[in-house]
Amino acid sequence: LFLSNLLGYDLDRETGTFSSPEKASLPQELREILQYLEEEAISVYLDSECSTILESFTSQEESLATARRIGAKLKKHPVQKILVPHFKRQLKPYQHPAVAHMVSVKHAADFSVPGSGKTTIALATYASLKASGEIDTMLVVSPRSAFMSWEDESMACFKQAPTIVRISGSKSDRRKRYREARHADIVLITYQMILNDTDEILRFLRNRLVFLVLDESHYIKRIEGGKWANALVSIAPLAKRR
Protein backbone atom coordinates (compact mmCIF):
# COMPACT_ATOMS: atom_id res chain seq x y z
CA LEU A 1 0.00 0.00 0.00
CA PHE A 2 2.78 2.41 0.92
CA LEU A 3 4.79 1.85 -2.25
CA SER A 4 1.84 1.52 -4.64
CA ASN A 5 -0.69 4.01 -3.31
CA LEU A 6 1.44 6.66 -1.65
CA LEU A 7 4.50 6.66 -3.92
CA GLY A 8 2.83 5.40 -7.09
CA TYR A 9 5.36 2.61 -7.69
CA ASP A 10 4.57 -0.21 -10.11
CA LEU A 11 4.37 -3.81 -8.87
CA ASP A 12 5.61 -6.66 -11.01
CA ARG A 13 3.52 -9.53 -9.63
CA GLU A 14 5.67 -12.20 -11.27
CA THR A 15 8.84 -11.14 -9.48
CA GLY A 16 7.29 -9.36 -6.50
CA THR A 17 9.36 -6.23 -7.15
CA PHE A 18 8.37 -2.58 -7.16
CA SER A 19 9.81 -0.14 -9.68
CA SER A 20 9.99 3.63 -9.45
CA PRO A 21 8.19 5.75 -12.06
CA GLU A 22 10.55 7.69 -14.32
CA LYS A 23 9.44 11.00 -12.81
CA ALA A 24 10.36 9.91 -9.28
CA SER A 25 12.58 12.17 -7.18
CA LEU A 26 14.90 9.35 -6.11
CA PRO A 27 16.87 10.78 -3.13
CA GLN A 28 13.82 12.13 -1.27
CA GLU A 29 11.72 9.03 -1.98
CA LEU A 30 14.57 6.72 -1.01
CA ARG A 31 14.74 8.55 2.31
CA GLU A 32 10.94 8.15 2.76
CA ILE A 33 11.08 4.44 1.99
CA LEU A 34 13.89 3.83 4.46
CA GLN A 35 12.07 5.75 7.18
CA TYR A 36 8.88 3.76 6.55
CA LEU A 37 10.71 0.40 6.61
CA GLU A 38 12.55 1.38 9.78
CA GLU A 39 9.24 2.21 11.48
CA GLU A 40 7.92 -1.19 10.39
CA ALA A 41 11.06 -2.89 11.78
CA ILE A 42 12.00 -4.21 8.32
CA SER A 43 15.70 -4.69 7.66
CA VAL A 44 17.12 -3.09 4.54
CA TYR A 45 20.01 -3.82 2.22
CA LEU A 46 21.22 -0.94 0.04
CA ASP A 47 23.28 -1.59 -3.07
CA SER A 48 26.28 0.62 -3.82
CA GLU A 49 24.32 2.93 -6.14
CA CYS A 50 21.64 3.68 -3.55
CA SER A 51 24.30 4.22 -0.89
CA THR A 52 26.09 6.70 -3.15
CA ILE A 53 22.84 8.55 -3.89
CA LEU A 54 22.04 8.87 -0.19
CA GLU A 55 25.55 10.00 0.71
CA SER A 56 25.46 12.64 -2.02
CA PHE A 57 22.01 13.83 -0.94
CA THR A 58 23.10 14.03 2.71
CA SER A 59 26.19 15.99 1.70
CA GLN A 60 24.04 18.44 -0.26
CA GLU A 61 21.73 18.90 2.72
CA GLU A 62 24.70 19.62 4.97
CA SER A 63 26.10 22.07 2.42
CA LEU A 64 22.77 23.88 2.25
CA ALA A 65 22.53 24.06 6.05
CA THR A 66 26.04 25.54 6.19
CA ALA A 67 25.15 28.09 3.50
CA ARG A 68 22.06 29.13 5.46
CA ARG A 69 24.09 29.67 8.63
CA ILE A 70 26.71 31.72 6.78
CA GLY A 71 24.06 33.70 4.90
CA ALA A 72 22.16 34.52 8.08
CA LYS A 73 25.37 35.69 9.75
CA LEU A 74 26.25 37.89 6.76
CA LYS A 75 22.77 39.43 6.71
CA LYS A 76 23.05 40.23 10.41
CA HIS A 77 26.59 41.62 10.07
CA PRO A 78 27.07 42.70 6.41
CA VAL A 79 30.59 43.00 5.03
CA GLN A 80 31.21 46.68 4.40
CA LYS A 81 34.34 46.34 2.28
CA ILE A 82 35.67 43.50 0.16
CA LEU A 83 38.88 43.59 -1.85
CA VAL A 84 38.42 42.04 -5.30
CA PRO A 85 41.73 40.94 -6.91
CA HIS A 86 42.53 42.25 -10.41
CA PHE A 87 39.32 44.32 -10.45
CA LYS A 88 39.54 47.92 -11.58
CA ARG A 89 35.88 48.97 -11.27
CA GLN A 90 35.01 50.46 -7.91
CA LEU A 91 32.16 48.60 -6.27
CA LYS A 92 29.26 50.64 -4.94
CA PRO A 93 28.66 50.44 -1.16
CA TYR A 94 25.68 48.09 -1.51
CA GLN A 95 27.63 45.79 -3.85
CA HIS A 96 30.32 44.90 -1.30
CA PRO A 97 28.00 42.85 0.96
CA ALA A 98 26.41 41.26 -2.12
CA VAL A 99 29.76 40.02 -3.44
CA ALA A 100 30.81 38.84 0.04
CA HIS A 101 27.54 36.90 0.30
CA MET A 102 27.93 35.22 -3.10
CA VAL A 103 31.54 34.28 -2.40
CA SER A 104 30.71 32.83 1.01
CA VAL A 105 27.50 30.82 0.55
CA LYS A 106 28.76 28.68 -2.37
CA HIS A 107 25.57 28.83 -4.47
CA ALA A 108 23.58 32.06 -4.56
CA ALA A 109 20.93 34.08 -6.39
CA ASP A 110 20.77 37.81 -7.06
CA PHE A 111 17.32 39.23 -7.77
CA SER A 112 18.25 42.91 -7.44
CA VAL A 113 16.37 45.53 -9.45
CA PRO A 114 17.47 46.40 -13.02
CA GLY A 115 20.39 48.82 -13.06
CA SER A 116 21.79 47.71 -9.71
CA GLY A 117 24.87 46.14 -11.30
CA LYS A 118 24.14 42.42 -11.08
CA THR A 119 26.66 41.76 -13.87
CA THR A 120 29.37 43.63 -11.96
CA ILE A 121 28.54 41.66 -8.80
CA ALA A 122 28.79 38.36 -10.71
CA LEU A 123 32.10 39.36 -12.29
CA ALA A 124 33.51 40.46 -8.93
CA THR A 125 32.44 37.13 -7.43
CA TYR A 126 34.15 35.32 -10.31
CA ALA A 127 37.35 37.34 -9.79
CA SER A 128 37.38 36.53 -6.07
CA LEU A 129 36.74 32.81 -6.59
CA LYS A 130 39.35 32.56 -9.34
CA ALA A 131 41.99 34.32 -7.24
CA SER A 132 41.39 31.78 -4.46
CA GLY A 133 41.80 28.90 -6.92
CA GLU A 134 38.29 27.58 -6.37
CA ILE A 135 37.23 28.09 -10.00
CA ASP A 136 39.03 28.85 -13.24
CA THR A 137 36.22 29.64 -15.70
CA MET A 138 32.86 31.39 -15.69
CA LEU A 139 30.14 29.90 -17.90
CA VAL A 140 27.38 32.44 -18.51
CA VAL A 141 24.04 31.19 -19.86
CA SER A 142 22.02 34.07 -21.25
CA PRO A 143 19.98 35.29 -24.23
CA ARG A 144 22.21 36.05 -27.21
CA SER A 145 21.23 39.72 -26.92
CA ALA A 146 23.09 39.89 -23.58
CA PHE A 147 26.43 38.60 -24.92
CA MET A 148 27.75 42.05 -25.86
CA SER A 149 26.82 43.45 -22.46
CA TRP A 150 28.83 40.71 -20.71
CA GLU A 151 31.78 41.34 -23.00
CA ASP A 152 31.68 45.12 -22.50
CA GLU A 153 31.24 44.84 -18.73
CA SER A 154 34.09 42.35 -18.47
CA MET A 155 36.44 44.70 -20.31
CA ALA A 156 35.37 47.56 -18.03
CA CYS A 157 35.78 45.59 -14.81
CA PHE A 158 39.13 43.83 -15.12
CA LYS A 159 42.61 45.33 -15.14
CA GLN A 160 43.66 42.75 -17.72
CA ALA A 161 41.17 41.88 -20.46
CA PRO A 162 39.80 38.35 -19.91
CA THR A 163 39.64 35.77 -22.69
CA ILE A 164 36.00 35.46 -23.74
CA VAL A 165 34.52 32.79 -26.03
CA ARG A 166 31.03 32.76 -27.51
CA ILE A 167 29.54 29.31 -28.17
CA SER A 168 27.60 29.94 -31.37
CA GLY A 169 27.39 29.13 -35.07
CA SER A 170 27.11 25.80 -36.89
CA LYS A 171 27.94 22.46 -35.28
CA SER A 172 31.46 22.52 -36.71
CA ASP A 173 31.92 26.15 -35.60
CA ARG A 174 30.81 25.23 -32.11
CA ARG A 175 33.28 22.34 -31.91
CA LYS A 176 36.05 24.88 -32.55
CA ARG A 177 34.60 27.20 -29.92
CA TYR A 178 34.55 24.40 -27.34
CA ARG A 179 38.24 23.75 -27.99
CA GLU A 180 38.92 27.47 -27.43
CA ALA A 181 36.77 27.41 -24.30
CA ARG A 182 39.19 24.98 -22.64
CA HIS A 183 41.53 27.93 -22.01
CA ALA A 184 39.01 30.77 -21.76
CA ASP A 185 38.25 32.90 -18.71
CA ILE A 186 34.61 33.52 -19.62
CA VAL A 187 32.37 31.42 -21.87
CA LEU A 188 29.03 32.71 -23.17
CA ILE A 189 26.25 30.38 -24.31
CA THR A 190 22.49 30.60 -24.87
CA TYR A 191 19.79 28.58 -23.12
CA GLN A 192 18.90 26.93 -26.42
CA MET A 193 22.51 25.88 -27.01
CA ILE A 194 22.69 24.26 -23.55
CA LEU A 195 19.88 22.00 -24.73
CA ASN A 196 21.46 21.33 -28.12
CA ASP A 197 24.98 20.70 -26.81
CA THR A 198 24.37 19.09 -23.42
CA ASP A 199 27.02 16.39 -23.94
CA GLU A 200 29.67 18.94 -24.94
CA ILE A 201 28.81 21.12 -21.94
CA LEU A 202 29.04 18.13 -19.60
CA ARG A 203 32.53 17.35 -20.94
CA PHE A 204 33.50 21.00 -20.47
CA LEU A 205 32.26 21.00 -16.87
CA ARG A 206 34.12 17.79 -16.06
CA ASN A 207 37.42 19.27 -17.21
CA ARG A 208 37.15 22.77 -15.74
CA LEU A 209 36.36 24.33 -12.37
CA VAL A 210 33.31 26.26 -13.47
CA PHE A 211 31.31 29.11 -11.97
CA LEU A 212 27.90 28.69 -13.66
CA VAL A 213 25.86 31.89 -14.02
CA LEU A 214 22.28 32.08 -15.30
CA ASP A 215 21.44 35.53 -16.63
CA GLU A 216 17.77 36.38 -17.20
CA SER A 217 16.90 33.19 -15.31
CA HIS A 218 13.16 33.73 -15.85
CA TYR A 219 13.78 31.96 -19.17
CA ILE A 220 13.62 28.66 -17.26
CA LYS A 221 11.09 29.60 -14.56
CA ARG A 222 8.35 27.08 -15.28
CA ILE A 223 6.49 25.16 -12.58
CA GLU A 224 6.50 22.02 -14.70
CA GLY A 225 10.12 22.50 -15.78
CA GLY A 226 10.65 22.43 -19.55
CA LYS A 227 13.42 21.31 -21.89
CA TRP A 228 15.75 24.24 -21.13
CA ALA A 229 15.25 23.89 -17.39
CA ASN A 230 15.75 20.12 -17.48
CA ALA A 231 18.98 20.49 -19.48
CA LEU A 232 20.36 22.96 -16.93
CA VAL A 233 19.32 20.77 -14.00
CA SER A 234 21.25 17.89 -15.61
CA ILE A 235 24.49 19.89 -15.91
CA ALA A 236 24.28 21.94 -12.69
CA PRO A 237 25.79 19.37 -10.29
CA LEU A 238 29.06 19.39 -12.26
CA ALA A 239 29.54 23.14 -11.76
CA LYS A 240 31.84 23.97 -8.85
CA ARG A 241 29.85 27.12 -8.09
CA ARG A 242 26.43 28.26 -9.21
Side-chain angles (χ1 to χ4, degrees):
L1 287 174
F2 174 77
L3 292 170
S4 296
N5 294 356
L6 289 180
L7 297 184
Y9 281 26
D10 299 320
L11 171 63
D12 184 332
R13 296 190 179 278
E14 290 186 8
T15 61
T17 58
F18 289 90
S19 59
S20 166
E22 189 175 332
K23 66 179 181 179
S25 179
L26 187 56
Q28 292 92 331
E29 291 191 1
L30 191 56
R31 183 76 64 83
E32 285 184 53
I33 292 169
L34 292 175
Q35 183 178 351
Y36 170 78
L37 295 175
E38 184 179 337
E39 290 170 355
E40 296 296 319
I42 298 172
S43 59
V44 179
Y45 169 77
L46 292 178
D47 64 13
S48 59
E49 186 177 359
C50 283
S51 297
T52 300
I53 290 170
L54 278 180
E55 288 171 7
S56 175
F57 188 60
T58 301
S59 175
Q60 290 177 31
E61 285 187 321
E62 291 172 352
S63 178
L64 179 58
T66 299
R68 283 174 169 158
R69 287 195 298 271
I70 294 172
K73 184 178 179 180
L74 287 169
K75 287 193 74 174
K76 189 173 182 180
H77 304 288
V79 173
Q80 300 301 320
K81 186 76 173 178
I82 184 169
L83 179 63
V84 182
H86 314 299
F87 214 69
K88 66 181 180 182
R89 174 173 283 176
Q90 294 295 315
L91 295 178
K92 293 180 172 61
Y94 64 84
Q95 292 175 330
H96 287 274
V99 173
H101 183 97
M102 295 184 77
V103 168
S104 301
V105 301
K106 192 167 185 179
H107 306 308
D110 184 353
F111 298 111
S112 303
V113 297
S116 60
K118 292 189 291 294
T119 302
T120 297
I121 291 170
L123 290 169
T125 302
Y126 158 73
S128 297
L129 294 174
K130 184 166 185 176
S132 69
E134 187 166 350
I135 58 100
D136 50 34
T137 303
M138 180 163 69
L139 176 63
V140 179
V141 187
S142 76
R144 186 184 297 273
S145 59
F147 281 7
M148 186 175 292
S149 174
W150 278 97
E151 290 166 342
D152 291 345
E153 290 293 296
S154 298
M155 296 301 177
C157 284
F158 291 99
K159 294 177 180 177
Q160 183 175 346
T163 304
I164 303 174
V165 173
R166 291 187 180 197
I167 304 296
S168 60
S170 65
K171 190 71 175 178
S172 60
D173 287 338
R174 298 201 302 277
R175 280 198 293 268
K176 179 181 177 183
R177 299 289 179 267
Y178 283 116
R179 288 195 295 270
E180 295 172 352
R182 296 172 191 168
H183 309 288
D185 298 309
I186 299 172
V187 180
L188 306 174
I189 191 169
T190 64
Y191 286 93
Q192 178 65 50
M193 212 58 74
I194 289 286
L195 177 61
N196 292 346
D197 294 352
T198 303
D199 290 342
E200 289 85 348
I201 292 297
L202 286 171
R203 279 195 292 272
F204 175 73
L205 289 168
R206 289 189 184 103
N207 290 289
R208 302 287 284 171
L209 300 174
V210 176
F211 176 35
L212 176 63
V213 176
L214 304 189
D215 188 14
E216 304 285 354
S217 60
H218 59 268
Y219 274 70
I220 60 164
K221 279 176 61 179
R222 293 179 54 183
I223 293 175
E224 297 299 329
K227 291 182 178 180
W228 291 2
N230 291 340
L232 279 157
V233 166
S234 72
I235 71 168
L238 291 180
K240 182 74 171 175
R241 289 289 197 121
R242 304 191 294 271

